């Protein structure tokens, strides 16, 4: 039986989905992606404060991002971090947005810009003496089997 709370959440999700469509149709896809990236950047500020003092290396910080922010949504052992020289790959074997809302992710790539903004800004805040350039290499929203967010560090 569907509870009152579930009906409320479905109602809110419908309004959210219709709002996203209107923003996209009215202001364009680029504006929508910028909004989602900015929301991810704002979330990163909170995450940075939460993680302060819990890491000493880039790898430790990235592992915290995956284990404490992403995996609670996509599932345990569904995310990983790979470091190779100055490259960092954050891999997600499931889509957090598809898992959380059942959205048709193929039509909603702009959600990925939230994740990109979150990862990129969190790294910049955690390691202000380094430069990072984050770019999605593979996205489930584009039909790939997993998401890979790659960052070059200098």
């Amino acid at each position: 039986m569907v509870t009152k709370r579930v009906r409320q959440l479905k109602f809110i999700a419908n309004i959210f989905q219709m709002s996203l469509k209107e923003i996209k149709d009215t202001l364009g896809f680029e504006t929508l992606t910028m909004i989602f990236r900015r929301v991810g950047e704002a979330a990163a500020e909170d995450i940075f404060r939460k993680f302060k003092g819990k890491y000493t290396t880039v790898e430790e910080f990235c592992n915290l991002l995956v284990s404490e922010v992403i995996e609670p949504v996509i599932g345990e052992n569904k995310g990983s971090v790979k470091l190779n020289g100055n490259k960092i790959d954050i891999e997600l074997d499931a889509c957090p947005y598809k898992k959380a809302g059942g959205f048709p992710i193929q039509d909603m790539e702009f959600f990925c810009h939230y994740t990109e903004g979150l990862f990129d800004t969190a790294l910049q805040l955690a390691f202000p003496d380094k430069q990072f350039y984050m770019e999605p290499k593979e996205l489930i929203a584009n039909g790939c089997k997993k998401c890979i967010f790659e960052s070059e560090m200098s």
Side-chain angles (χ1 to χ4, degrees):
M1 178 170 199
V2 177
T3 68
K4 181 178 178 182
R5 183 68 179 148
V6 169
R7 284 193 305 276
Q8 290 170 333
L9 291 173
K10 284 183 178 185
F11 176 75
I12 291 167
N14 272 340
I15 291 173
F16 180 67
Q17 195 166 17
M18 288 186 293
S19 298
L20 294 176
K21 181 186 178 318
E22 289 304 316
I23 291 168
K24 182 177 159 191
D25 291 349
T26 305
L27 301 174
F29 184 77
E30 286 298 316
T31 300
L32 190 56
T33 60
M34 288 186 327
I35 290 168
F36 270 79
R37 180 173 172 97
R38 180 59 199 120
V39 173
E41 291 169 354
E45 294 168 9
D46 291 335
I47 290 165
F48 166 69
R49 284 189 289 277
K50 177 183 172 186
F51 290 170
K52 202 161 187 136
K54 294 183 178 182
Y55 61 90
T56 56
T57 67
V58 171
E59 185 172 21
E60 288 173 344
F61 184 79
C62 289
N63 282 319
L64 277 171
L65 274 174
V66 169
S67 66
E68 294 193 26
V69 177
I70 300 298
E71 284 186 337
V73 177
I74 66 173
E76 195 173 329
N77 299 317
K78 296 276 187 188
S80 64
V81 176
K82 295 179 180 156
L83 270 72
N84 186 12
N86 68 338
K87 290 196 183 213
I88 306 162
D89 284 348
I90 301 174
E91 296 185 8
L92 310 178
D93 293 338
C95 176
Y97 310 104
K98 192 172 186 177
K99 284 277 198 182
F103 292 110
I105 196 64
Q106 267 71 17
D107 300 333
M108 298 184 150
E109 178 189 329
F110 50 82
F111 277 121
C112 308
H113 292 273
Y114 169 89
T115 306
E116 179 186 357
L118 183 143
F119 288 159
D120 191 35
T121 302
L123 283 165
Q124 299 283 353
L125 291 170
F127 300 95
D129 57 325
K130 299 183 184 303
Q131 295 292 314
F132 297 91
Y133 175 72
M134 178 72 61
E135 184 177 346
K137 289 296 183 185
E138 294 181 21
L139 296 172
I140 293 169
N142 291 339
C144 298
K145 291 185 185 220
K146 60 184 168 184
C147 294
I148 301 176
F149 293 89
E150 181 181 273
S151 185
E152 288 195 41
M153 175 177 54
S154 59

